[in-house]
């Protein structure tokens, strides 16, 4: 079938939940992917930042092959080794003590909020409300739609589950004002990803943590997008001098396999048997793959490389900003970066980049987001920035 045939068929078969870029990808390797016409692309979208080690990383492929021949799935009433090994690695390298594995970022946040509510019932006189931020993104379940502080996601589905208050991001006073005897937790992204790559002030998370400790409420970080090395440290919280009480992970954790997790400090790990569970969560196949990916990220100090190449990328984008006056801002941390314009040109730029072999994401009508694989090199960044420069140059004319 030709490219058009696949894309026509897709239009007949699926709900219209989103608009796809007109490319049918069939193969990938590292930072590159190929479509069904054999065209090559640099992939700076990375499966929504999930392909942390790029496409088909050999360590993950090997772990999947081996585990697929050994044991693919069992129910969570039994012990299984890959799950325990992955848990050990996460606990050893984070400030948290216990973990639950699930299948996605939304589920990880759901679990985090359920644990916060258990704490509310047991320690905070039934407090259940969770304060979250405007422009946040926490997932697509009904409860996480309510947690997500963007009205465009709320409107199609009201009434939403109760118990979430959205307040301005990067504003400690807004959190203080929203806190009441009903509050059990604050849930924030260390850097807002889907909301446009919004980086808070350096001391914001510290202030939030102090406030949570003062009030005895839980400090939850959604590191679904920022975790597993994306921002230049294994977890973004390390850069802000804080330690969350609960943390949610997914996306890059499995380097392309669907896995999520939430972790908590011992004193808040108050679930009793039967209070939470998952059919596929922590399945041996995905855990073996995630263990291989995470071990590679840690053993090869990939976060340090992310910091170096991320800074290099930002410097290159800053020089584009000097060249083109319609670029208003370059912002980000590590390899989670946005380029903002004073016009709504992101859609056209995405398509123009596709034509020249670069895949990027429109994070807002006036902003592009770059989330290349963590293993990208300076040379590959140069190529991408070259293409971007050409595309921006045509806009100017
Ligand atoms: C993508 C994302 C989610 C949702 O993850 P899914 O796997 O799509 O459910 C939640 N939180 C953040 C910060 C995200 O970036």
């Amino acid at each position: 079938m030709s490219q058009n045939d696949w894309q026509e068929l897709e239009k007949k078969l699926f709900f219209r939940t989103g608009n796809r870029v007109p490319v049918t990808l069939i193969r990938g390797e590292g930072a590159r992917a190929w479509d069904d016409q054999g065209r090559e692309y640099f992939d700076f979208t990375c499966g929504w930042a999930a392909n942390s080690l790029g496409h088909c990383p050999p360590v993950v492929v090997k772990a999947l092959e081996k585990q697929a021949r050994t044991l693919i799935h069992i129910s969570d009433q039994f012990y299984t080794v890959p799950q325990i090994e992955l848990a050990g690695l996460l606990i050893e390298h984070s400030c948290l003590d216990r973990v639950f594995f699930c299948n996605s970022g939304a589920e990880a946040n759901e679990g985090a909020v359920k644990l916060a509510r258990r704490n509310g019932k047991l320690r905070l006189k039934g407090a259940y409300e969770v304060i979250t931020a405007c422009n946040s993104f926490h997932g697509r379940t009904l409860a996480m739609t309510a947690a997500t502080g963007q009205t465009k996601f709320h409107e199609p589905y009201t009434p939403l589950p109760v118990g979430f208050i959205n307040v301005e991001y990067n504003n400690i006073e807004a959190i203080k004002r929203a806190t009441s005897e009903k509050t059990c937790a604050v849930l924030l992204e260390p850097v807002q990803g889907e909301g446009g790559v919004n980086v808070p002030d350096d001391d914001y998370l510290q202030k939030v943590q102090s406030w949570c400790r003062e009030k005895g409420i839980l400090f939850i970080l959604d590191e679904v997008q920022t975790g597993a090395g994306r921002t230049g440290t294994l977890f973004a919280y390390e850069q802000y001098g804080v330690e969350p009480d609960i943390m949610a992970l997914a996306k890059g954790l499995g380097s392309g396999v669907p896995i999520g997790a939430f972790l908590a400090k011992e004193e808040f790990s108050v679930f009793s048997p039967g209070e939470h569970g998952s059919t596929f969560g922590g399945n041996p196949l995905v855990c073996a793959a995630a263990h291989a990916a995470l071990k590679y990220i840690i053993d090869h100090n990939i976060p340090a490389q992310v910091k170096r190449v991320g800074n290099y990328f930002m410097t290159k984008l800053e020089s584009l900003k000097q060249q083109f006056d319609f670029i208003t801002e370059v912002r980000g941390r590590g390899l989670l970066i946005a380029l903002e314009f004073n016009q709504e040109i992101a859609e056209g730029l995405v398509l123009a980049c596709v034509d020249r072999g670069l895949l990027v994401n429109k994070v807002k009508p006036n902003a592009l987001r770059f989330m290349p694989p963590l293993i990208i090199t300076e040379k590959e960044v140069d190529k991408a920035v070259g293409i971007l420069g050409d595309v921006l140059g045509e806009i100017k004319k």
Side-chain angles (χ1 to χ4, degrees):
M1 293 222 293
S2 80
Q3 167 145 355
N4 283 342
D5 291 341
W6 285 119
Q7 293 175 14
E8 286 312 309
L9 193 55
E10 189 272 356
K11 287 185 173 63
K12 287 197 199 100
L13 297 174
F14 287 80
F15 295 121
R16 308 309 314 263
T17 54
N19 294 316
R20 298 191 208 240
V21 173
V23 178
T24 305
L25 294 172
I26 54 167
R27 189 166 72 85
E29 190 184 320
R32 292 176 303 165
W34 288 268
D35 71 10
D36 58 347
Q37 312 298 301
R39 289 202 57 200
E40 182 178 308
Y41 301 90
F42 269 117
D43 188 358
F44 276 43
T45 60
C46 217
W48 293 132
N51 298 330
S52 37
L53 297 176
H55 289 288
C56 303
V59 284
V60 174
V61 171
K62 207 168 130 203
L64 280 170
E65 281 175 350
K66 181 159 176 253
Q67 192 60 43
R69 281 193 211 98
T70 311
L71 185 68
I72 292 179
H73 182 69
I74 55 163
S75 68
D76 63 2
Q77 56 192 316
F78 303 110
Y79 295 89
T80 180
V81 178
Q83 193 183 83
I84 298 166
E85 286 180 334
L86 175 60
L89 201 57
L90 278 171
I91 301 305
E92 183 190 339
H93 292 275
S94 73
C95 64
L96 291 319
D97 304 305
R98 290 184 184 269
V99 65
F100 181 91
F101 290 117
C102 53
N103 313 284
S104 69
E107 270 181 82
N109 284 320
E110 286 273 347
V113 167
K114 283 174 81 175
L115 183 56
R117 283 199 177 189
R118 287 305 291 139
N119 275 277
K121 275 207 200 294
L122 296 168
R123 312 151 52 103
L124 295 167
K125 299 184 188 137
Y128 62 91
E129 255 174 24
V130 177
I131 299 171
T132 69
C134 296
N135 289 317
S136 61
F137 185 80
H138 298 296
R140 300 289 200 156
T141 59
L142 275 176
M144 287 310 112
T145 296
T148 293
Q150 303 194 49
T151 46
K152 70 173 181 196
F153 291 123
H154 294 177
E155 276 158 3
Y157 299 112
T158 50
L160 292 172
V162 296
F164 296 94
I165 302 185
N166 312 135
V167 303
E168 192 184 1
Y169 189 58
N170 199 27
N171 180 343
I172 182 65
E173 294 308 321
I175 288 178
K176 290 185 178 175
R177 277 195 300 273
T179 305
S180 72
E181 71 287 350
K182 285 189 273 179
T183 310
C184 70
V186 176
L187 164 63
L188 296 170
E189 293 158 88
V191 174
Q192 291 185 327
E194 303 304 309
V197 189
N198 306 315
V199 183
D201 294 341
D202 286 341
D203 61 354
Y204 172 61
L205 292 178
Q206 276 175 21
K207 287 180 182 160
V208 176
Q209 175 178 276
S210 309
W211 177 251
C212 290
R213 300 274 143 90
E214 190 185 322
K215 293 289 159 186
I217 59 182
L218 278 79
F219 174 49
I220 310 176
L221 287 180
D222 175 353
E223 292 235 23
V224 166
Q225 188 154 158
T226 54
R230 174 64 48 191
T231 66
T233 44
L234 190 58
F235 304 108
Y237 71 75
E238 297 167 41
Q239 294 175 47
Y240 290 99
V242 296
E243 289 196 353
D245 300 317
I246 304 180
M247 172 170 73
L249 296 174
K251 292 205 165 95
L253 177 60
S255 199
V257 302
I259 186 168
F262 64 98
L263 299 92
K265 297 230 182 224
E266 183 66 35
E267 62 172 313
F268 302 114
S269 300
V270 298
F271 283 133
S272 298
E275 289 183 353
H276 198 53
S278 170
T279 296
F280 285 117
N283 151 316
L285 187 71
V286 296
C287 283
H291 180 264
L294 190 64
K295 191 157 167 21
Y296 187 94
I297 289 170
I298 293 166
D299 288 353
H300 294 79
N301 200 1
I302 299 296
Q305 187 179 326
V306 168
K307 192 169 272 176
R308 191 190 74 234
V309 179
N311 285 338
Y312 179 79
F313 195 1
M314 296 261 280
T315 310
K316 290 277 155 174
L317 292 173
E318 282 293 344
S319 55
L320 285 183
K321 180 168 176 265
Q322 297 306 316
Q323 233 175 302
F324 301 106
D325 57 8
F326 54 89
I327 299 178
T328 49
E329 198 182 4
V330 179
R331 56 174 182 263
R333 281 269 169 142
L335 286 169
L336 178 57
I337 301 173
L339 191 62
E340 193 161 277
F341 311 99
N342 64 6
Q343 307 154 38
E344 302 200 338
I345 53 174
E347 178 101 50
L349 288 174
V350 166
L351 296 174
C353 285
V354 164
D355 279 343
R356 290 170 190 258
L358 175 66
L359 305 179
V360 295
N361 165 242
K362 175 191 84 169
V363 72
K364 298 208 295 189
N366 68 333
L368 294 177
R369 175 174 46 165
F370 309 103
M371 36 192 172
L374 308 181
I375 44 131
I376 196 116
T377 61
E378 276 99 343
K379 243 188 174 156
E380 288 168 321
V381 166
D382 282 341
K383 274 206 172 157
V385 172
I387 293 172
L388 208 55
D390 290 346
V391 166
L392 293 169
E394 302 214 322
I395 291 242
K396 209 179 174 184
K397 272 181 235 148

